[in-house]
Amino acid sequence: MLKRLLIILFILALGLLSYSVFVENIFSPRLSPKDSAKISLNDLDITVEYNRPSKRDREVFGALVPFDEVWRTGANEATTFETNKSLMIDGIELRKGKYTIWTVPMKDSWKVMFNSKQYEWGVNEKMEPMWDPNYDALEIIVPAQQLDITVERFTIAFDNKTGHLKLTMAWDNTFIEVPIDIVE
């Protein structure tokens, strides 16, 4: 009995090692690590789960992330946005729930879409976004701002410094803000 158990454990360890060497190194850190942005204000809770690709000396917007094409807004799995209260985003109501965020970076502005469909991954095997526009709950256009600094890793955060809540995204030398108001 013990001999069989040791053989099974050996085979499992060998399989894991083979997978790590030939498919994906599961022991090394991800190139685009998972992260989250969260904010709690009174009884409002919002969470964004996303993956953070790095610039790594590459030209980002207009090259790695083409202008005027749908982007998964991060890397790997689709970026999710979850709110426990209905919100007003740039004057349009977004009901409480869980959404995926998709963007279309443009030279001077970005289109931001909150999509009600949940996707396991951000792109298909052809590296095309898995976004289905039929599930867009909300779509807005926000101005793109140029930063004086370079943001190495794609970053999503919340800004409430002035009492006006904003969802922010920054990468390379580009920054956008999505205005958020709580539906009373």
Side-chain angles (χ1 to χ4, degrees), residues 99-155:
Y99 300 88
T100 50
I101 298 177
W102 303 85
T103 52
V104 177
M106 297 175 276
K107 192 165 180 73
D108 298 318
S109 60
W110 280 28
K111 186 184 297 183
V112 180
M113 294 89 74
F114 290 80
N115 191 280
S116 62
K117 186 173 180 182
Q118 298 303 303
Y119 305 83
E120 288 184 34
W121 204 251
V123 293
N124 63 21
E125 61 278 348
K126 295 178 186 175
M127 296 303 289
E128 300 165 333
M130 296 182 76
W131 166 73
D132 182 344
N134 294 315
Y135 292 92
D136 281 353
L138 184 145
E139 177 183 301
I140 64 167
I141 295 180
V142 296
Q145 303 170 40
Q146 292 300 303
L147 299 170
D148 294 332
I149 61 166
T150 299
V151 177
E152 175 63 27
R153 283 194 182 233
F154 176 63
T155 303

Side-chain angles (χ1 to χ4, degrees), residues 10-67:
F10 177 76
I11 291 171
L12 286 174
L14 188 60
L16 187 60
L17 179 64
S18 297
Y19 179 83
S20 175
V21 169
F22 296 109
V23 179
E24 174 183 10
N25 188 350
I26 59 175
F27 301 111
S28 68
R30 294 176 90 173
L31 289 176
S32 301
K34 290 184 179 191
D35 205 348
S36 63
K38 299 178 183 185
I39 191 161
S40 293
L41 297 169
N42 300 322
D43 58 348
L44 172 67
D45 293 308
I46 306 174
T47 302
V48 176
E49 301 282 341
Y50 69 109
N51 290 276
R52 301 182 68 192
S54 296
K55 178 175 169 53
R56 295 195 311 264
D57 295 321
R58 300 177 290 183
E59 185 177 341
V60 176
F61 297 107
L64 178 65
V65 177
F67 284 131

Side-chain angles (χ1 to χ4, degrees), residues 74-85:
N76 305 330
E77 296 89 352
T79 296
T80 61
F81 177 97
E82 189 167 10
T83 176
N84 69 332
K85 297 277 184 189

